[in-house]
Amino acid sequence: MRIGRAVFERMDGVIASISMIAVFVMMLLITADVGGRYIFNRPLIGSQEIVEMLMIVTVFFGLSYTQKHHGHVGVDLLPGALEGTKFAWLPVALYATTGIFVYVSLSVFAVRHAVSTYARGTSSIYLQWPIWWLGVCVSVGCIFLAVRLAVTSWDDAHGVRHDPEWEQ
């Protein structure tokens, strides 16, 4: 189990790095576009479409990383009310089953959409780039988040606490 977790953490780090690089490229593209538009009166052609594609990569490849560092907004109603009772396990079970179900379902839908888009040869409007790979990015990001939710739930159920700042 340690090897599987180590492999997952390494792969998760790779997709988180891709997400961070995508943010940096978006920043450069937007800066170049704005500079070109207002200084030289020549905007960067296709930059908006590229930025839209990079947003998908950024958001979905960053989901698991954000979950790992507890960056998502959460409401703690049920766990607080059940703490110290014999039903304290219930929030962890609900968290795991609903989250994993939702993100695995979303991943399956995204793969089906990517296959359909690939089969039809659908491309972006302006640059005419194929867009099937964006569905794959959504699917990969959702699967990594589902695995992260399972790992987090397992750790919570077994009382394991990790400080993500020290795991780097």
Side-chain angles (χ1 to χ4, degrees):
M1 182 140 149
R2 285 185 181 175
I3 294 172
R5 189 173 193 147
V7 168
F8 169 72
E9 293 294 342
R10 176 75 54 142
M11 291 171 56
D12 190 42
V14 168
I15 69 164
S17 296
I18 292 169
S19 176
M20 293 173 202
I21 291 167
V23 169
F24 184 70
V25 171
M26 281 182 359
M27 178 194 66
L28 292 177
L29 276 171
I30 291 170
T31 303
D33 184 47
V34 169
R37 181 179 314 268
Y38 292 109
I39 296 171
F40 303 111
N41 201 23
R42 302 205 78 159
L44 195 58
I45 296 174
S47 64
Q48 182 178 354
E49 217 170 66
I50 296 170
V51 167
E52 289 170 355
M53 290 179 186
L54 288 173
M55 276 190 218
I56 294 171
V57 174
T58 300
V59 168
F60 286 95
F61 277 14
L63 285 174
S64 178
Y65 177 83
T66 306
Q67 177 65 27
K68 177 181 181 179
H69 293 277
H70 306 290
H72 293 116
V73 175
V75 179
D76 195 19
L77 297 174
L78 193 57
L82 296 176
E83 191 171 315
T85 68
K86 63 181 179 179
F87 297 107
W89 58 270
L90 188 61
V92 174
L94 288 172
Y95 175 72
T97 55
T98 58
I100 292 168
F101 175 75
V102 166
Y103 286 103
V104 168
S105 298
L106 186 58
S107 179
V108 169
F109 175 77
V111 165
R112 286 182 180 167
H113 182 69
V115 168
S116 170
T117 304
Y118 180 79
R120 286 180 288 164
T122 307
S123 60
S124 64
I125 295 170
Y126 191 71
L127 296 174
Q128 296 298 309
W129 289 0
I131 59 171
W132 61 267
W133 61 276
L134 297 170
V136 174
C137 289
V138 170
S139 181
V140 168
C142 288
I143 287 295
F144 270 86
L145 179 59
V147 173
R148 173 65 62 199
L149 290 171
V151 167
T152 303
S153 299
W154 176 267
D155 289 349
D156 288 349
H158 291 86
V160 177
R161 296 282 179 228
H162 294 287
D163 185 1
E165 296 301 321
W166 292 99
E167 291 180 9
Q168 300 293 332

